[in-house]
Amino acid sequence: MSDIKIDQILDLKGVPCPMNFVKTKLKLESMQAGKILEVLLDDGEPIKNVTASTKEEGHEILKVEEKNGYWNLIVRKSR
Amino acid sequence: MSLKEDQIERYSRQIILPRVGGKGQEKLLGGKVLIIGAGGLGSPCALYLASAGIGTIGIVDSDKVELNNLQRQIVHDTNTVGVAKVESAKQRLNAINPDVKVKALNMRLTSKNITDVIKEYDIVVDGSDNFPTRYLVNDACVLEKKPLSHGGIFRFDGQAITILPGKSACYRCLFPEPPPPGFVPSCQEAGILGAVAGAIGVIQANEVLKYILNIGDLLAGKLLVFNALDSSFRQVKVPKDPKCPICGEKPTVTKLIDYEQFCSIKKKKEE
């Protein structure tokens, strides 16, 4: 999708749960509200858990899409 | 300050928590806590605070570790019997978490030195085992406007309250004056179940963590009472007493008092 402007990218392929969420959370904390983060995550538990936990923290999930064996999670930072 | 890789791993389970996160962890690492007494209350409190990554922990005690302490004073161990309690505690806390700067204060607090000792800390934990120290700590914290977590244990009972000077009740609002010497069984006579000390010391650690993180509700104006035999907790509201001798409208205690150390005096007479 060309209309989403990604501000930061975090490659967490190979990072197990829950450290992948911890890193996502810390990255989002360091960003300004409204900025957009793209997170690269493994298939299975990682994409499931990180998406759910990020949503639970109140951030907006813009897109979840599979790409060549891994996943792209695109999040807009809230607050 | 930004978290290092090993810190992110070490504190990951609390960084995950809502309302803690990386910013909360940085507050904890910047936190300075003074623990008075490396005994039954101070031990569990210090262990949890060090594990949580409180950056600076001061510990005051003038005793050496004795074998009979180990039943409840879990920061010490068989190998440190005979060692100064503050040194024993420092070794253990550093072994758990090298992020923590432990200040071992091998001294007895008096009206002369306490103000200087508490000055540099954000909050004080009272884990003392005698009334003279308890009143001295309360009074010094009230006069210096230093937040204080009080804990007390006796046989199967425990209590805790958090004192925000000027805002919530202090220890003297609850008990205006120390009991007369001999009225309350002394430290050695009464006995204590180790797990009771553990429960209250951990409640005190939890109060400190909430205070530094600025989350939740403190036990300010609320005395938490624990009974181990029926496993009950209850909260008793404690309003600020306008007639309190130290934090009331017309205070009669305006400087620090060294009450008689009846415990040690009695012991000396027996010897």
Side-chain angles (χ1 to χ4, degrees), chain A residues 28-36 59 76-79:
Chain A
L28 284 164
E29 268 186 40
S30 73
M31 294 168 61
Q32 283 178 339
K35 295 283 181 189
I36 292 169
H59 302 293
R76 190 199 309 271
K77 171 160 179 177
S78 73
R79 284 169 283 134

Side-chain angles (χ1 to χ4, degrees), chain B residues 51 183 201 233 246 255:
Chain B
S51 303
F183 189 76
F233 280 100
I246 188 151
K255 59 181 175 54

